[in-house]
C-alpha cells in the first residue's frame, strides 16, 4: 500500500480524484493525493474529500502514515467515513496552502540572507520562522527584510532536482538545517534549487517563481536560546 504524491510533481494542483485504499483509526489512505502531509516544518494540508453522492468529508489535517510513502487524511470527528475502494474528489483549502507555499519559499530566501546554521524552523499559514545559531547582534530586522525583498523582486524561477543519497553524502554542506535532516533510505533526495540563490534538500511545496511571494515583513527577532535566535516573518501583501 502506498500513496502517489501528486503535490510533489505539481504543487499547484487544487483538485483531483483518488481511490480509497484504507480507512483506519488515524484516517483515510488514498492511492494518490494532492494533500501535503506535515513534515519539514510545513503543516499538513486541510480541505475536503467529496463522495460520489456529494457528501463532504472535511479533512482537518494530513500526516505521514506508518511508512513514508503513505499519506493519512485526518477527517473531522463528525465527518462521514468512506468505504474502501470508493472514488473520491479531492479539494484542497487552496488559499491556506498557497500562503504556506509562499512563506515556505520565503524561508529558503531568509536562510540565504542570514548566513548562519539553521537550528530550527516552522510555518503556519500566516507566519513562519527560522532559528539561527548566530549572535543576536548580527540580526537586523530592517536589513533582513530589505535583502529578502530584494531577492524576491529578482523574480527567479524555482526548480526541483533529485540526487542520490550518495551524492548528498558527498556534499554535506547542502544541508543547512541541523534540526531537519532530509529523508534517507529511499535512494534519492529531493532538492529545491533557486538558481543563483539557494540549493538545499526539501520535500515541501514551493511557488514556481519567487516573485509570487510578493514581499515579506519581519515580525520580530527573539532570543530563544543559546543556539536559537528566532526570525519570524509574515507575507506583507
Ligand atoms: Zn522547501
Amino acid at each position: 500500500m502506498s500513496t502517489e504524491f501528486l503535490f510533489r510533481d505539481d504543487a499547484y494542483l487544487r483538485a483531483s480524484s483518488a481511490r480509497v485504499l484504507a480507512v483506519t483509526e488515524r484516517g483515510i489512505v488514498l492511492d494518490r493525493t494532492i494533500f501535503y502531509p506535515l513534515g519539514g516544518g510545513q503543516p499538513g494540508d486541510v480541505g475536503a474529500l467529496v463522495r460520489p453522492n456529494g457528501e463532504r468529508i472535511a479533512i482537518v489535517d494530513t500526516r505521514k502514515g506508518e511508512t513514508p510513502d503513505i499519506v493519512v487524511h485526518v477527517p473531522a470527528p463528525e465527518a462521514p467515513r468512506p468505504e474502501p475502494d470508493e472514488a473520491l474528489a479531492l479539494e484542497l483549502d487552496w488559499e491556506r496552502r498557497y500562503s504556506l507555499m509562499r512563506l515556505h519559499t520565503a524561508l529558503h530566501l531568509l536562510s540565504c540572507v542570514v548566513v548562519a546554521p539553521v537550528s530550527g524552523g516552522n510555518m503556519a499559514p500566516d507566519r513562519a520562522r527560522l532559528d539561527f545559531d548566530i549572535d543576536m547582534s548580527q540580526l537586523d530586522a530592517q536589513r533582513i527584510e530589505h535583502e529578502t525583498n530584494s531577492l524576491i523582486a529578482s523574480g527567479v524561477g524555482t526548480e526541483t532536482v533529485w540526487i542520490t543519497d550518495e551524492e548528498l553524502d558527498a556534499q554535506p554542506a547542502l544541508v543547512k538545517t541541523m534540526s531537519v535532516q532530509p529523508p534517507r533510505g529511499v535512494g534519492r533526495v529531493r532538492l529545491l534549487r533557486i538558481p543563483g540563490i539557494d540549493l538545499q534538500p526539501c520535500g515541501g511545496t514551493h511557488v514556481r517563481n519567487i516573485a509570487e511571494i510578493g514581499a515579506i515583513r519581519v515580525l520580530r527577532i527573539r532570543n530563544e536560546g543559546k543556539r536559537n535566535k528566532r526570525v519570524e516573518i509574515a507575507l506583507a501583501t
Side-chain angles (χ1 to χ4, degrees):
M1 187 167 78
S2 70
T3 309
E4 188 188 344
F5 294 0
L6 298 176
F7 56 83
R8 190 161 270 179
D9 291 324
D10 185 357
Y12 287 78
L13 282 175
R14 307 175 190 200
S16 174
S17 60
R19 202 161 278 283
V20 177
L21 292 181
V23 182
T24 70
E25 262 181 27
R26 289 189 61 207
I28 301 158
V29 180
L30 305 172
D31 62 348
R32 53 191 206 148
T33 192
I34 53 175
F35 285 69
Y36 178 82
L38 170 77
Q42 184 176 333
D45 280 327
V46 307
L49 308 178
V50 185
R51 306 183 75 181
N53 65 5
E55 204 170 32
R56 297 176 70 84
I57 303 167
I59 299 301
V60 295
D61 196 4
T62 306
R63 297 293 181 104
K64 285 182 183 134
E66 315 265 294
T67 56
D69 57 351
I70 292 177
V71 173
V72 178
H73 306 78
V74 182
E78 71 284 2
R81 302 294 190 266
E83 299 295 329
D85 209 38
E86 195 172 316
L88 299 175
L90 284 60
E91 294 178 7
L92 209 57
D93 180 339
W94 173 249
E95 202 178 320
R96 178 179 179 278
R97 157 68 93 68
Y98 189 55
S99 292
L100 287 167
M101 284 163 57
R102 293 166 69 204
L103 276 169
H104 184 146
T105 311
L107 288 187
H108 281 267
L109 301 180
L110 179 62
S111 78
C112 299
V113 166
V114 179
V115 183
V118 176
S119 52
N122 213 350
M123 270 160 257
D126 65 336
R127 58 185 59 206
R129 64 172 171 84
L130 284 180
D131 291 0
F132 296 96
D133 187 359
I134 195 174
D135 195 86
M136 277 298 272
S137 63
Q138 302 292 305
L139 296 173
D140 178 79
Q142 271 195 331
R143 182 191 70 82
I144 292 169
E145 197 171 286
H146 177 74
E147 290 186 13
T148 306
N149 286 334
S150 295
L151 288 178
I152 291 168
S154 70
V156 174
T158 65
E159 301 165 5
T160 298
V161 190
W162 289 90
I163 62 171
T164 64
D165 286 357
E166 293 74 30
E167 285 168 328
L168 182 65
D169 289 336
Q171 303 173 75
L174 276 180
V175 183
K176 285 187 186 166
T177 53
M178 297 188 284
S179 59
V180 183
Q181 286 293 318
R184 303 294 181 111
V186 288
R188 55 183 202 152
V189 174
R190 184 177 187 256
L191 306 180
L192 180 76
R193 177 191 283 148
I194 307 176
I197 300 174
D198 189 34
L199 174 67
Q200 63 177 297
C202 191
T205 59
H206 311 94
V207 290
R208 287 191 193 110
N209 188 301
I210 60 175
E212 291 180 42
I213 300 167
I216 60 107
R217 287 183 297 132
V218 172
L219 293 178
R220 59 184 163 191
I221 297 176
R222 273 208 315 228
N223 187 346
E224 293 283 336
K226 193 159 174 278
R227 303 178 78 183
N228 295 75
K229 307 299 182 284
R230 181 163 298 172
V231 180
E232 194 170 24
I233 62 167
L235 298 171
T237 49

